[in-house]
Amino acid sequence: MIATPPWLHGEIAIGSLAAGKHVLCEPPMATDARACEEMISVAQKNQRILHIGYQQQYDPSNWAAYRNIMKQGLLGDVYTVEATHHTNSSARLESPSSDAKFDPRPWGYSSLEHLLNWRLYQQYSSGPMGDEGGSIVSTINWFLDAVPTSVQAMGGIYSYKDGRDVDDHVYATLDYPNARTAMLSVIQSNGFEGSYIQILGTKGTLILGNGESLLFMEERNGVTSVSTAAVSGSQPVLDASATRRAEGADHSALAQGAAATGGVREAFQNEIAAFCGAIRTGAPLRCSLSDARNVVLTCLAINKALKSQERVRPQEFA
Amino acid sequence: MHKVKSKSIVQNWEPTRRELLARWRSQPMPRSSEWTRVSRSAMACQFEAIFAPECEIAVSVSEEYFRVVDRLESILSIFRPDSEVSVLNCLAAERAVYVGPELLALLELCELLHRETGGAFDVTSGALSKCWGFEARRPSIPSLEALAVARNSSGFHRISFNRQGVVSFLATGLRINFGGIGKGFALDQGAARIRARGIVTALLSAGNSSMLALGDGPDGHGWNVGLRHPIFKNQRIGTVRLHSYALGTSGQEEQSIEIEGLRYGHILDPRSGWPVRSVVSVTVLAHSATEADALATAFFVGGKELAERYCSAHPGIVAIMLLESDLSRPTIIGSSDQVEVNFGNR
C-alpha cells in the first residue's frame, strides 16, 4: 500500500509491481500522465493488481445513491453539478522541535518544512486539485459516467502567503459531453459548506454527503434521505414505541440490528476488502486504472488552465 | 500431565500458516450486506423504509410510497386547513359533505372498529382532545361544564354517512381526528404500491409506532423488532419477530398531565372523556398496520379486558400490554403463526 506524497507514487508503484507485488495506491495516481501510463503498463505486463484508492466508490451510501437514484434516472436530465471542498485552514503543519536535527535531504526534500508540508509545494503534489479536487472529480466522473472534454479555472494564493506555491483557492468549470457542466470550488478560507457534491436534474436534486444522500424532488416539498445499514437478523432492526415526532426521530438509541454503514471509515474498509478480494478471486474493482488516469489528466488540465486562463482539454496530456 | 495435554491441544488446534492461507483463499467474497434505508418526514413523524441489498429500485419505489403518504396526509391531517377532514370538521355539522373514496373507506373501517371495540376506538373525540388542550399541545384540566359540552360533541353515533360518501355530523363542534389510525392506514396503502413493484422484503415504519414487515426479514426468521420500555427508555420490554405482519404501539410518552398528584397520558377514553391511566403501553400485532394502529389505541383505552375479549374473537391478533400495576412484566394476549414474542431478549 502506497501512502506517500504523490510525486513518489509512480516510482514506488512501478518498482513494487515489477517485483511481483499487488499495489493499492492512494490517489492521485501520479503527478504526470507518463507515470500513469507506465504504472498501467507494468501492472499489465506483470499481471499484478494496481488499484488507485478513490474510496468514494466504496462508500455504501454513495453506491446506494448511484444505483438507486442516478442509474434509475430519478433526477431526469442532468445538466449541472456543483461541488465544493471548503475548509478554513492553512493545512500547514508545524515541525516539532524534537525533530529539528532531522535531515530529510536523502529522501528528496530540501528541508523538514518541505517534508512535513509537501501538500503546499508543486514539486511534491498536484496542489488542491490533485488532492481533494481529484476525489471530487473522480466521483463526478463516476456519477455522470463521463470524463470532461475541457476545463476552465481561476484561483490563486489568496489567504496564506506563507511561502507555499500551490493555490489555496481554486474555482474550476468542467465541460462534460451532452451539455453537462460541473462547477467545482476548493477553498481554504471558509468551511461553511464543507464538502459535498450536488447533482441537479430536471426532476430532482441529489446531494451526496458523508454517509447519507439527500434527494429533493422538483415536484414537491420535503427531502428524502437515503443511507445504508448493515441489517442483522439477530438484533432488533428498529424499536417500536409510542409515536416519535419527526424532530425527535432516533434510530440509534437501542436498535443495533441496522447499524449505519456509510461514511469515510466504512469506505476505506470496504476498499481494502475489495482490493484483497480482487487479489484472491480476480473480482473487478470499482474505479478502473483508466478512470484514475482520467482524473489525473483533468487535474493537470485545471492546473494549466489556472496559469493560462484558457480553456484546456485534458486529453492534451494523454 | 495436565500441562502437556493442554499444549498438545493447542498445537492440534493452531492452524498452520499454510492452512490459514488456504482458508483465506477459499472464503467466498463477502456478500453485500448494505440494506438501503430511505426516510422522509410526513404526518409529523419520520416515515422510513428498509430494503434488501439486491433491491435497486428502493428509492424510486419509496418516492411512489411517499407520494401515497403525502396524498393521505393532505386528506386526513387536522393540522392542514384545506385537508378533506378539516373541511369536513368545519362544514359537516351545518350541511352534508361529500368525501372521497379514501376517506369513506377509512370512515367505514373506523365504524367497524368502533363497534367491535365497544366504543373504545373512536375517531370523533377531537372535541375532547381539544378541550383537554392535547390538540394544541398545552394540556390543562377542563371545567366540568366544558367537558360536558365536549362530550356532547363526541361519539361515532353522531356521524351519519352513506356509501355514496355523503357525510353529516349530528352535533355541532364534532371533530374527527384520525391520529389513532392514520399512520397505519398510510403504511398499508403505501405498502400496496411497494408490493405492486414486486418487492417482497422490506420493513416500513411510521414514527416507530406503526410498522409493517414484508417478508421474513434478513435471516428468514422474521423481522426482529424491539419493544422499547415506555418509562425506562434505554431498555426493552421484549422483542418480536414479524413474518409479513404489522405492529402498532400506543403509549402516553408524548404528552401528559398531572391530576391530584397522578400523571395521565394524552389518550382519552371517548366514553368517559377522561384520560386513561391503567395501561402504560400497548403493542398490537395484526395482519394490517391499520388494524394494529387502531387496536393499540382501543386496547389502551379498554384495557386488558377488552384486549382479551377482542383477541379471543379475532384469532391472529396479539396484544402485548404493560400495565400500571406491573411495570416489570408485560402481559401477552392472543397468538399468531406469523409472530414470535420474546421477553428474554431485552
Side-chain angles (χ1 to χ4, degrees), chain A residues 67-68 72 219-221 224-225 227-229 233-234 236-241 243-246 258 261 280, chain B residues 24 33-35 37-40 44 53 56 58 63 67 70 137 207-209 219 224 226 228 234 236 241 254:
Chain A
R67 208 173 62 146
N68 283 287
Q72 298 293 327
E219 66 185 53
R220 61 204 178 106
N221 296 326
T224 300
S225 162
S227 59
T228 49
S234 60
V237 176
L238 292 174
D239 275 303
S241 65
T243 303
R244 300 176 73 81
R245 295 179 66 76
T261 56
R280 216 160 59 212
Chain B
W24 181 67
S33 60
E34 310 298 349
W35 292 62
R37 189 171 205 157
V38 187
S39 64
R40 185 180 174 88
E56 297 197 352
E63 285 300 317
R67 264 194 284 274
D70 285 351
R137 307 186 72 77
N208 287 48
S209 60
D219 60 1
N224 191 342
R228 184 190 292 263
N234 59 349
R236 295 192 180 102
R241 283 187 176 268
E254 198 182 343

Side-chain angles (χ1 to χ4, degrees), chain B residues 83-196:
Chain B
S83 76
E84 223 177 318
V85 167
S86 291
V87 171
L88 192 65
N89 285 340
C90 188
L91 298 178
E94 295 168 16
R95 60 177 173 82
V97 176
Y98 277 95
V99 298
E102 289 100 337
L103 188 48
L104 179 61
L106 195 52
L107 275 175
E108 286 172 343
L109 188 57
C110 289
E111 184 185 37
L112 177 69
L113 287 163
H114 177 259
R115 194 169 56 241
E116 289 185 338
T117 60
F121 179 75
D122 194 335
V123 292
T124 68
S125 43
L128 286 171
S129 186
K130 190 177 180 186
C131 166
W132 280 88
F134 289 125
E135 196 176 291
R137 307 186 72 77
R138 284 193 294 273
S140 65
I141 303 170
S143 67
L144 289 177
E145 294 76 21
L147 194 57
V149 171
R151 288 189 67 191
N152 284 333
S153 299
S154 304
F156 211 93
H157 62 284
R158 294 192 169 98
I159 301 182
S160 160
F161 64 95
N162 62 24
R163 289 191 172 185
Q164 284 69 50
V166 181
V167 183
S168 304
F169 292 171
L170 309 180
T172 53
L174 191 141
R175 293 164 59 82
I176 288 179
N177 183 344
F178 289 112
I181 194 170
K183 286 189 282 295
F185 187 66
L187 278 186
D188 284 333
Q189 299 293 308
R193 195 64 64 90
I194 291 173
R195 287 192 190 98

Side-chain angles (χ1 to χ4, degrees), chain B residues 234-309:
Chain B
N234 59 349
Q235 294 178 24
R236 295 192 180 102
I237 61 173
T239 60
V240 294
R241 283 187 176 268
L242 306 173
H243 297 265
S244 298
Y245 225 54
L247 171 154
T249 295
S250 272
Q252 52 188 8
E253 298 167 50
E254 198 182 343
Q255 291 191 77
S256 62
I257 186 169
E258 197 172 297
I259 304 169
E260 294 177 356
L262 294 175
R263 190 151 289 279
Y264 291 80
H266 71 286
I267 299 174
L268 299 166
D269 185 335
R271 299 162 300 190
S272 68
W274 280 79
V276 181
R277 192 156 194 281
S278 63
V279 180
V280 180
S281 83
V282 180
T283 293
V284 172
L285 313 176
H287 290 283
S288 77
T290 314
E291 210 178 0
D293 203 3
L295 290 177
T297 307
F299 295 170
F300 196 99
V301 169
K304 192 178 166 190
E305 295 72 23
L306 173 62
E308 285 173 340
R309 197 166 63 242

